[in-house]
Amino acid sequence: MAQETLTVKGMSCGHCVSSVEGSVGELTGVSSVKVALDKGQVEISYNDNEVNLDKIKEVIEDQGYDVV
């Protein structure tokens, strides 16, 4: 199980949290996703045999946010 904390720009409200947590949480292999809105960070636990970090970043960016 891998864990990453990503810095994500553009999140500002509860809808942003729901959007990111919902879309990333639907990915096969992701066991948990938690947005820290005040820090602009997303903490993710995932099975790196099932999903890679690039795919997770892509899903976040598809929601309209920037992963830095």
Side-chain angles (χ1 to χ4, degrees):
M1 194 64 69
Q3 291 188 329
E4 292 287 337
T5 300
L6 302 175
T7 300
V8 179
K9 295 201 181 275
M11 300 184 303
S12 62
C13 64
H15 172 74
C16 300
V17 172
S18 296
S19 177
V20 171
E21 288 182 347
S23 61
V24 174
E26 290 178 357
L27 290 172
T28 300
V30 173
S31 60
S32 72
V33 54
K34 176 85 173 132
V35 173
L37 193 59
D38 58 331
K39 296 178 183 178
Q41 295 181 331
V42 180
E43 296 177 11
I44 306 153
S45 295
Y46 62 99
N47 182 335
D48 55 2
N49 291 322
E50 295 183 48
V51 65
N52 63 35
L53 192 56
D54 288 337
K55 178 63 177 175
I56 293 169
K57 289 178 180 179
E58 178 184 317
V59 167
I60 294 170
E61 290 173 346
D62 285 348
Q63 297 299 312
Y65 308 105
D66 295 320
V67 179
V68 292

